[in-house]
Amino acid sequence: MARLVSIPKPTLERLPVYYRVLLHCQETGVQYISSGDLGLRSGFDNAQVRKDLNHIWSGGRPGLGYEVEKLANCLADFLGLRNNTDAILVGAGRLGAALVGYPGFGSYGFTIVAVFDSDAEKTGRSLYGRPIMPMHRCADLIKRLGIKIGIITVPAESAQAVADTMVEAGVQAIWNFAPLRLEVPKEVMVRSEDLAVGLTTLSYHIREQALPGEDSHPVAAISSTAQRLERL
C-alpha cells in the first residue's frame, strides 16, 4: 500500500480475521474466494465483508471473487504484517508463558523478544528461548531496541507502574491482560483483554438459556455437577 488509509476500528479488528482465513485458503490450495464464502468462514455476512475490503481493495473479479494470494498480500501490507514487530512482555506467570509460547504470532510478523519479571526466582531463566530479565532492565532494553509494543500480564496492583515504565521508555501500544483500566497518554494505544469479563459474559448467556424450572444459580450448578460426577 502506498499510503495509510484511515478505517473504522471495527473494520480494523475484522481484517486480521479475513487474513487468517486467507492464509488457510492458501494452505489448502484455494485460489479464489467470494465475499460470501469469506464471510461464512469468518463469521460475518457478505455485505460486511465487501464493505470492509472496499476500504483497501478493489480487485474482486465478477464470477470468481477475490484472488486469495493477492488479497492476502494486500492485507499483510496494510496491517504491517510483513514488518517483523518486536514486543516485550512483563509478567512471566502462566498467562505470560502461554503468550510467549504461542506459535501463531509468527504468521502476523509479531515476536516477543524478551520477558521481564520482578520475581528474583524467575529472572535469569528462559521462557521458550526468551530471557527473563529483572524489571530494572526493562526501560533500557525498550530504548535500545526501539520496542514499540509492550504486553502486560501482571496482577492489577502492578499494572499501572509497568505501563508507566513502558510509556516513559517509548512504547506506543500496550496489550493489557491485567484487570485494570490503564491511564496512559492519548497517543498511546491500549488494547485490554479482561478474561473475567469474557467468562462472565459466557456465564450470563448460559443462565439466559437455562430451561424453565432449571436451577441456573452458579453454586447450585456446581453442587449438582459434583453430585453427578460422584455417581459416575
Side-chain angles (χ1 to χ4, degrees):
M1 300 295 294
R3 62 189 180 88
L4 185 61
V5 179
S6 177
I7 64 175
K9 184 178 179 182
T11 295
L12 181 60
E13 293 179 345
R14 286 188 291 267
L15 293 183
V17 181
Y18 302 147
Y19 180 69
R20 183 168 62 240
V21 171
L22 293 169
L23 288 182
H24 179 70
C25 288
Q26 287 183 297
E27 293 171 357
T28 55
V30 177
Q31 296 182 329
Y32 287 90
I33 187 169
S34 67
S35 60
D37 192 14
L38 181 54
L40 184 63
R41 297 184 187 213
S42 305
F44 308 110
D45 64 70
N46 60 350
Q48 185 66 68
V49 171
R50 291 195 301 271
K51 183 178 179 181
D52 290 340
L53 295 181
N54 281 341
H55 287 284
I56 62 170
W57 178 256
S58 58
R61 299 180 61 179
L64 288 175
Y66 302 105
E67 188 171 351
V68 169
E69 183 177 1
K70 288 186 177 180
L71 181 54
N73 288 339
C74 178
L75 284 171
D77 288 339
F78 181 81
L79 295 171
L81 303 180
R82 297 196 183 283
N83 304 319
N84 193 48
T85 302
D86 292 337
I88 60 99
L89 180 145
V90 177
R94 293 179 180 178
L95 178 55
L99 291 174
V100 174
Y102 177 59
F105 289 141
S107 298
Y108 295 84
F110 184 76
T111 305
I112 299 174
V113 296
V115 181
F116 296 88
D117 202 283
S118 59
D119 187 347
E121 294 186 359
K122 294 179 180 178
T123 57
R125 302 179 182 181
S126 64
L127 195 59
Y128 295 97
R130 281 77 160 183
I132 303 177
M133 293 180 278
M135 275 302 297
H136 68 80
R137 295 188 56 189
C138 184
D140 178 63
L141 185 139
I142 290 173
K143 293 176 182 177
R144 286 193 294 109
L145 298 185
I147 301 294
K148 300 303 179 186
I149 298 180
I151 306 171
I152 296 177
T153 56
V154 301
E157 59 268 21
S158 306
Q160 186 61 57
V162 171
D164 292 342
T165 297
M166 289 180 172
V167 172
E168 290 173 7
V171 162
Q172 297 175 356
I174 296 175
W175 197 7
N176 174 43
F177 287 85
L180 178 75
R181 184 179 181 277
L182 299 176
E183 299 292 336
V184 299
K186 62 180 181 179
E187 63 271 16
V188 176
M189 180 180 180
V190 176
R191 168 78 185 205
S192 292
E193 309 289 354
D194 194 323
L195 303 182
V197 170
L199 180 60
T200 302
T201 302
L202 294 176
S203 178
Y204 177 80
H205 173 74
I206 292 173
R207 181 180 179 184
E208 288 295 292
Q209 297 300 314
L211 295 174
E214 181 179 342
D215 191 345
S216 60
H217 190 279
V219 175
I222 292 173
S223 176
S224 176
T225 301
Q227 291 173 3
R228 290 198 299 270
L229 287 173
E230 289 177 356
R231 293 195 294 267
L232 292 178

